[in-house]
Amino acid sequence: MEIISLADLYSISPLLFLTLGAFGILIVDVFSKESWLRASYTSIFILAALSFAFQLADVAAPGKTAFWDAIYVDSFSIYFQVLILVGALLTVMLSHGRIAQEGVRSLGEFYALFLMSTIGAIIFVSAAEMVTLFLGLEIMSMALYCMCGSAVHSKDSAESALKYFFLGSFSSAFMLFGIALMYGVSGTLSLAESAAVLSSSNSGLVPIAVGFVLIGFVFKIGAVPLHFWAPDVYQGAPTTVTAYMACVVKAAAVGAALRVLWTSFGSDTLFGIWASAVWIIAALTMVVGNLVALRQRSLKRMLAYSSIAHAGYIMVAFLAPHQGGGSAVLFYIAVYTAMTLGAFGVVLAVASPHSSEPDADDIHRFQRLGYRNPVLAGCMTLFLLSLAGLPPGLAGLLGKFYVFNAAVQANYVGLAIIGVLCSAVSCYYYLRVIVAMYFIPKEESDSDSLAPLAPVSLPFAGVIGICAVAVVTLGLFPSILHDGAQFVIENF
Amino acid sequence: MENTSYFLGIFPLLTTMVFLPLVGAILLYLIPGFSGQDEHTRSRVTWFTLGVSGLTFIVSIACLNRFDPSVVTAQLVERTPWIERFGVQYYLGVDGISILLVLLTTFLMPIIVLASHSVKTNLRGYLFHMLVLECAMLGTLLAFDAFLFYVFWEFMLFPMYFIIGIWGGKRRIYATLKFVLYTVVGSLLMLVGLFYVVWAYAAQNGGEITFSLYELSRSVDLSLSEQIWLFAGFALAFGIKVPLFPFHTWLPDAHVEAPTGGSVVLAGVLLKMGLYGYIRYAYPLFPQGAAYFAPVLATLAVIGIVYGALVAWAQEDIKKLVAYSSVSHLGYCVLGFVAFNALSTTGSLYQMLNHGISTGALFLLVGVLYDRRHTREISEYGGLASKVPVFAFLFLVFTLSSIALPLTNGFIGEFLILAGSFQEFPVLTAFAVTGVVLGAVYMLTLYMKTMFGELNEEKNGSLTDVTPREIVTFAPLFVLVFVMGIYPQPFLRLMEPTVHQYIEDVSRKMVKVGSPIEEPADGTSYAQKSGGNAARAQLAFESFNVERVKPVANSPLNFEENL
């Protein structure tokens, strides 16, 4: 037990590769200033990590832990590792050639931070005890704060970083306090072991601990009422970072929240404590996210609010642990990642490269995109319809199908009704982009005054294409992914 | 021969019919020769689309050929699991209720394609969306799995959204967003209701999940209050689509802003989907809820009939007038169905076809005028009959069909509906009859103002009569008006057995022993009452049939004598 076994190392091999990459790139940075080199270097390490994550599936077993019970090696953590790594890979492809234009100077450091943040996200979702969980959260967040502010000469970027840092530290402190209380009550930091103690304890501290931990997660997921940071941070940060936060970080937070809520707080008594809170949070998140998104002109901001709204849908399924809610969450978060990353890809391709312009990603830049670049507009239409849950965007519709189906089965009909009504509201702002892309006649559009669209670079086309294929495939054959998700939850 | 019939037996006719238009639509964008904007390319694109929609029509005729009217359940069934864990299937079938609507859809589409030459910009995109729409509509009509139905139902929005949004009039963006949002709100609530039903079914059947319509409606057991709530949810979704009276406001906007083809398909098929949803889903799933709400629906339908007619009368825009007349006509269809006896329901189904033909043709005619003069104001026209006699003649025929003159198709439908509904809702039907009169008033006023009198506008002097191409467009509709008006038997025979069985099945479940609803004051139970109605309806139905030797004397249903 004293020395680290090979099996232990193997079980964290994705993390090792990412760490290696993070340090290595700082050295590469010294010798070469080529942007593509650094991006592809980063991608290679992510790919290596990804392949090892797939390998880990063979050794995974329900409840199996490694590193003295610090991290889980089960299918749940591997599912999220793969999701995070795929998301990170696509984000790197989106970053190539783009972040430099958005004002990021030191690319080597950026990619190093990027990899570290991904490391944090993976630790966050696979943590088996509270301190590791917190470490993961902090590694992820610290790197993110810096990434938000990496456009050093942009005021927005600095504002975004500072806001995120202050609010994020605050919420982390809450979470840490919750963890401390948990430890105080149960005497253990292990997620699994604390469950039994917490559920049998009648200490008044338990609800407080649950509440504080929940606050930390609600903040990271970006759910109402702790969502105020999201739009400003999302808008100010370089768009690549925004896409990363909206997809990868959100996926990690959802995974970790699901793990803690269902493992440590999973007993019936504790479920009663947090269920009503999550009910209210989910309802508020769906309502506020969608209503505020209605008024946005900036596409980045719109996607930010839409990501808040989708967090709400996902949280609905938290309430149905025994009714298929778990696989619904896993399916939804994967589909959501594909749709949102694809949409961000299109926004990046269309928006002005100089994000300092006040209307860099304003909706009017999308005017007549359907005629200026039909393929790009077609993909965007697919992503938007999928986000709205309208066929032919079947993947998004099926995501909602699983989520609300689970909610109805768990007898949360009211919440499901709120959810679908909100999703009807969301059609308005998603369709508005389609209006701009297709319905504005030449005479009324100001697209002529805009700079002509730059040709879409290969990595961008790759990201958009991969996401579009994923959305179509998951829409037609949802069972491919959902059966896997079901397996993961059965081995939770 | 043996081999051929075996091949036909396994050949997925319905899937071919549904997805042929979609494949054609995709090919429109894949075939390189179709990308230009010149006249030559336009005609090539039109011919190609005409070919695809014509082929779809031929496939639907093949379905008709293999359709056996005496079988009362779904035929030509194709089912494979889609989302296995939740019992969602890809489950297509056709029965006596849907077969004619399917034919109407495939029949109208080539006509719409022919009429699309007035689309000046991006004809390829327009035809693409039309074909996608055809796929969605056929899927909706043929789906026997509730979730598959829902998917196709929502899928109908996307092409229509584009058709109105790109090729529509000045206020198209407002109109199209309104159209989508209205529909989405209703249908998403329906989705939640559907989940509720499925889980109730699962709880009662040992956890087995299915979305199959037949299995759900056969064995799900819901309490009265559940049925009332769920029916309300479904009724809202379908009522918006019909549209029933308070939810109809999207329709005039959508119709007025839509391009001609869009209006035709909207009036011709899309509006029927609402009522089709009632027939296929809301009633069989929640019979007691349906019985509870029947008076409400009937009242709304009658309000729609009278209100729609009155508002139509007041319109100054021809297209808006026809749009409001749709509200009125659809009111008849709903009334006929809600009265729920074999006679009125058959009439309702028949009237859906009639409305598709006559109103579709009227929208096409308005389109013809609009192409030439670019205005739809009634006051801009006058005395056209002398200038464009053929046009005036066609307009007259379809006007008469719309106001249900005997010998035209409209008469059969309205007659069956009113005769059938009178047995259930005598007072309401009396009000509904005023709609017939009002219908004549507004349509004939329109005809008089535009076609008769002096040629008042100079610009109308240069109007040209219908082109041969337009005559080809109108000819099939023209023929059908009279065929369906004079010899309805072949059409009625297709739906008759299914409708009978359907009415019997659903009305048997409308009241179960011991349920508290609708005990009539005179002491007879509701079951007796509805049984009595069913018997009477049966009698009336038979008296309507030609086979019957001697019609009942002095009966209002004495059809042949009236003819």
Side-chain angles (χ1 to χ4, degrees), chain A residues 371 381 385 390-392 394 397-398 401-402 404-405 408-409 413 416-417 420-421 423-424 427-428 431-432 434-435 438-441 475-476 478-479 482-483 486 490, chain B residues 82-86 88 122 147 150-152 154-155 157-158 161-167 172-173 176-177 180-181 184-185 188-189 191-192 195-199 211:
Chain A
Y371 309 97
T381 307
L385 287 175
L390 291 177
L394 266 179
L397 174 65
L398 288 169
F401 167 84
Y402 290 126
F404 293 126
N405 205 344
V408 171
Q409 198 196 354
V413 179
I417 289 176
V420 294
L421 286 179
S423 131
C427 290
Y428 178 79
L431 291 183
R432 224 173 43 145
I434 297 182
V435 167
Y438 289 97
F439 298 174
I440 310 282
L476 291 178
S479 304
H482 189 264
D483 285 353
Q486 189 69 30
E490 277 159 12
Chain B
W82 179 28
I83 309 173
E84 229 169 341
R85 198 177 295 279
F86 289 91
V88 177
N122 194 3
F147 187 68
Y150 178 82
V151 168
F152 277 120
E154 293 273 72
F155 191 24
L157 289 180
F158 157 77
Y161 176 68
F162 277 82
I163 288 171
I164 300 177
I166 300 183
W167 294 276
R172 62 187 183 284
I173 293 173
T176 196
L177 274 175
V180 170
L181 292 179
V184 163
V185 169
L188 280 167
L189 284 177
L191 186 63
V192 177
F195 291 153
Y196 192 92
V197 179
V198 168
W199 291 116
F211 276 81

Side-chain angles (χ1 to χ4, degrees), chain B residues 140 143 145-154 190 238 276-277 281:
Chain B
T140 313
D145 180 280
F147 187 68
L148 187 68
F149 169 82
Y150 178 82
V151 168
F152 277 120
W153 172 271
E154 293 273 72
M190 175 172 87
F238 297 137
Y276 180 75
Y281 287 89

Side-chain angles (χ1 to χ4, degrees), chain B residues 107-129:
Chain B
F107 169 78
L108 278 180
M109 200 46 76
I111 293 175
I112 292 166
V113 174
L114 265 180
S116 63
H117 62 286
S118 58
V119 171
K120 294 290 174 247
T121 54
N122 194 3
L123 182 65
R124 180 169 61 149
Y126 176 81
L127 294 172
F128 169 85
H129 287 297

Side-chain angles (χ1 to χ4, degrees), chain A residues 93 143 238 317 327:
Chain A
M93 286 163 79
S327 50

